[in-house]
Amino acid sequence: MITIANICFGTIDSDGKIGYAPIGTLYIIQALENAGIEVDFRNYLEEYPILDTPKSIQTLVNFLENSENNLFISCNSATLPYVIIACNKLKEKNSSQKIILGGLGPTGVAKEILNTFSCIDIVVLGEGEAATTHLVQNNFDNLSEINGIFYRDKNNQIQMNPRAQRIQDLDNLLPAYHKINPNAYSIFGIVSSRGCPCKCTYCGEEYFWGNGNVKRSPQNIIQEIQFLHEKYGQCRFEFVDDTFVLNKKRVIEFCNLIQQKNLNIEWNFNGLINLMDDDIFQAVSGSGCYEIFYGVESASDRILKTLNKQYSIEQADKVIEKSLQYVDVVLSFIWGFPFETKEDLIKTLEYINQVKETKAKFWLFPLTPVPMSLVYEQNKHQLAFYEETIDEGMDKEVLDIVLKYPEIFPGYYFYNSPNFQELNQIVNSFESVDYNAQSVFVDGLIVPRNS
């Protein structure tokens, strides 16, 4: 038996339910169980779902204590420093325990973690089903033959194996839903595909998943929704991948299947501005879709071009206007790009004012540095930490480790461009924005869509 722990700090909605189920971890558990491996699963979200719960190191250590001798931990950037400190304390009590990290937080800084923290033995990169299964089946021997991992060899040297081959048949995968309490969650995330061919310069998706996009069939997606609907009474779903609309034919086929099977469900998805058209709008609006999310990110065409977005703000505006004729719309905007000027930011804020005159909702977030993204690689030398942005109750051990190793915990930092402070003041004084998120983790944020 092994222990797998999902460590994510979440929040609850007005009904007392957690935002999202830990789908990525559940996929890996199911792969292990399919291989005959017994899994002790520990889900921090269900134990401590409230964002304001004191996130103390001791709480996390207690949560992980008495785990199996092979401990796998999935975490994001927000929880990574807590996890590493807790792992160090666990290793002090049991030096023979093997600790393996995976998930969005560790993947982009795997080498740095192993070089710095001896308590971590292995980091699984990106898509983890195959590597995790092979590690357990091989009893952690012959590590050089297991693709998709960073590890420390017998000479204490850090080694990186080739990336694991991408899983091409996603229809054969299903999350281990039996390992969670389905009634604890307000919405179920559905992964319709893995990987994104878009090359947005601030995003690390390509490094995490690898090149290209691998899709599930519409029939297989419907089967999962029917399973959750019939077994657990789930009626509300969200497609969490960024590329749901990459193939128009697939989208329309999926929507037709919902109507043919008379599924009484609600669902939403992430749209791509440059791929939306009337056919997609008509298909989704008649199939229970109630909302589309667009990552517009900026109203400055100069910024959009630098981010490698394939549209102008004029094009985005037309798509948003069209979308509102069919469904609700949520837009995200980001500020704090190291190449952003005051004029760029003002264009975004003025556009947000324009959005407020419509029915669209919006979020405005500061940019989180994401390792392995192009923006990060070009600007990681100018990370800046602002103590006023952290949680008031942050454990001193966590603060100390974050300050000591910015290259491992960049999610707690901003890009210190020459005018960052000025831009920060402009955002904070912008009356139209309920600006209550000073530190946002791209890979760990759970925000109820009705907020």
Side-chain angles (χ1 to χ4, degrees):
M1 179 185 285
I2 66 168
T3 295
I4 291 186
N6 179 70
I7 310 298
C8 180
F9 300 148
T11 185
I12 59 174
D13 62 18
S14 57
D15 295 325
K17 294 192 174 186
I18 308 168
Y20 297 96
I23 301 300
T25 307
L26 297 181
Y27 270 115
I28 291 175
I29 292 173
Q30 190 62 63
L32 290 165
E33 291 187 340
N34 289 346
I37 299 164
E38 192 174 352
V39 177
D40 160 40
F41 178 48
R42 305 190 181 190
N43 186 9
Y44 197 87
L45 273 175
E46 289 189 20
E47 289 289 327
Y48 304 100
I50 304 175
L51 192 61
D52 293 331
T53 298
K55 297 184 283 289
S56 72
I57 296 300
Q58 192 56 50
T59 300
L60 187 51
V61 170
N62 294 343
F63 177 75
L64 294 172
E65 271 186 335
N66 302 315
S67 52
E68 297 296 320
N69 213 43
N70 296 321
L71 171 61
F72 291 77
I73 300 176
S74 177
C75 63
N76 53 40
S77 296
T79 54
L80 183 59
Y82 293 84
V83 165
I84 288 178
I85 295 171
C87 287
N88 189 55
K89 296 181 184 298
L90 292 173
K91 269 290 179 74
E92 289 174 353
K93 296 181 180 180
N94 180 8
S95 61
S96 67
Q97 186 175 41
K98 289 190 181 298
I99 300 180
I100 304 93
L101 299 187
L104 287 163
T107 289
V109 292
K111 184 177 181 179
E112 291 82 357
I113 289 173
L114 290 173
N115 269 326
T116 308
F117 301 106
S118 61
C119 59
I120 308 302
D121 298 290
I122 299 170
V123 177
V124 175
L125 305 178
E127 193 174 51
E129 286 88 352
T132 302
T133 302
H134 291 159
L135 281 169
V136 181
Q137 288 177 327
N138 292 346
N139 198 29
F140 295 87
D141 290 329
N142 302 317
L143 294 182
S144 62
E145 300 176 7
I146 299 176
N147 289 341
I149 62 171
F150 263 104
Y151 67 98
R152 192 180 294 103
D153 66 18
K154 294 179 180 179
N155 297 318
N156 209 33
Q157 298 298 307
I158 309 304
Q159 305 293 341
M160 177 188 178
N161 291 347
R163 295 295 290 261
Q165 189 173 12
R166 295 280 300 279
I167 298 172
Q168 296 299 315
D169 188 1
L170 298 181
D171 284 2
N172 281 328
L173 301 181
L174 184 70
Y177 288 118
H178 58 280
K179 286 290 189 178
I180 63 172
N181 172 17
N183 295 322
Y185 299 91
S186 61
I187 193 167
F188 267 65
I190 301 291
V191 179
S192 80
S193 67
R194 291 180 174 181
C196 181
C198 304
K199 297 184 182 297
C200 300
T201 59
Y202 61 98
C203 179
E205 283 281 304
E206 183 176 4
Y207 181 77
F208 185 85
W209 291 113
N211 293 325
N213 175 257
V214 180
K215 302 174 184 64
R216 294 170 60 188
S217 68
Q219 294 82 2
N220 183 253
I221 299 168
I222 290 291
Q223 287 174 6
E224 181 179 1
I225 289 175
Q226 284 182 303
F227 169 79
L228 293 169
H229 184 55
E230 294 169 4
K231 186 172 180 64
Y232 301 120
Q234 292 295 323
C235 298
R236 196 174 176 89
F237 303 92
E238 176 171 323
F239 286 91
V240 296
D241 45 314
D242 294 324
T243 52
F244 178 74
V245 297
L246 205 56
N247 184 301
K248 182 168 75 170
K249 180 180 177 181
R250 176 173 169 268
V251 174
I252 293 173
E253 184 178 354
F254 168 76
C255 294
N256 289 340
L257 284 171
I258 289 180
Q259 296 182 66
Q260 290 171 17
K261 295 181 179 296
N262 295 315
L263 294 180
N264 185 23
I265 61 170
E266 291 184 327
W267 58 284
N268 62 21
F269 67 94
N270 296 323
L272 293 172
I273 293 290
N274 54 309
L275 295 182
M276 303 301 291
D277 63 19
D278 287 343
D279 293 336
I280 292 178
F281 288 130
Q282 291 170 11
V284 302
S285 65
S287 59
C289 178
Y290 67 94
E291 182 182 86
I292 302 175
F293 174 85
Y294 294 114
V296 179
E297 315 312 11
S298 177
S300 164
D301 284 334
R302 189 185 73 85
I303 295 292
L304 292 176
K305 184 176 181 179
T306 307
L307 300 180
N308 199 34
K309 294 291 187 179
Q310 302 300 309
Y311 54 82
S312 66
I313 189 59
E314 181 180 359
Q315 291 171 306
D317 190 55
K318 290 179 180 178
V319 169
I320 293 165
E321 182 181 2
K322 187 74 172 181
S323 303
L324 287 167
Q325 298 175 20
Y326 295 92
V327 295
D328 290 336
V329 171
V330 177
L331 312 172
S332 83
F333 299 92
I334 297 174
W335 71 275
F337 298 103
F339 37 77
E340 186 174 30
T341 67
K342 177 180 177 181
E343 290 71 27
D344 293 322
L345 176 59
I346 289 174
K347 286 180 181 179
T348 297
L349 298 181
E350 288 177 344
Y351 186 76
I352 289 175
N353 265 337
Q354 179 182 327
V355 167
K356 286 177 67 69
E357 300 301 318
T358 72
K359 294 181 180 179
K361 304 172 188 176
F362 66 91
W363 301 341
L364 176 65
F365 298 143
L367 178 65
T368 298
V370 177
M372 298 300 173
S373 67
L374 181 61
V375 170
Y376 181 80
E377 293 305 308
Q378 292 177 342
N379 298 277
K380 59 186 177 182
H381 60 282
Q382 55 174 331
L383 295 178
F385 183 84
Y386 298 98
E387 195 163 336
E388 65 271 18
T389 66
I390 66 173
D391 294 339
E392 292 183 4
M394 178 182 280
D395 194 298
K396 186 178 185 302
E397 281 186 278
V398 176
L399 179 59
D400 289 345
I401 198 175
V402 166
L403 291 175
K404 188 174 182 180
Y405 302 108
E407 73 281 3
I408 299 178
F409 310 109
Y412 282 84
Y413 287 73
F414 300 96
Y415 293 113
N416 188 26
S417 56
N419 60 346
F420 180 86
Q421 293 287 17
E422 180 184 16
L423 299 185
N424 188 34
Q425 291 175 0
I426 292 173
V427 171
N428 282 324
S429 63
F430 187 56
E431 295 180 357
S432 295
V433 176
D434 180 15
Y435 186 62
N436 56 11
Q438 285 287 326
S439 183
V440 176
F441 293 86
V442 169
D443 60 358
L445 181 69
I446 297 179
V447 179
R449 286 293 170 88
N450 59 358
S451 62

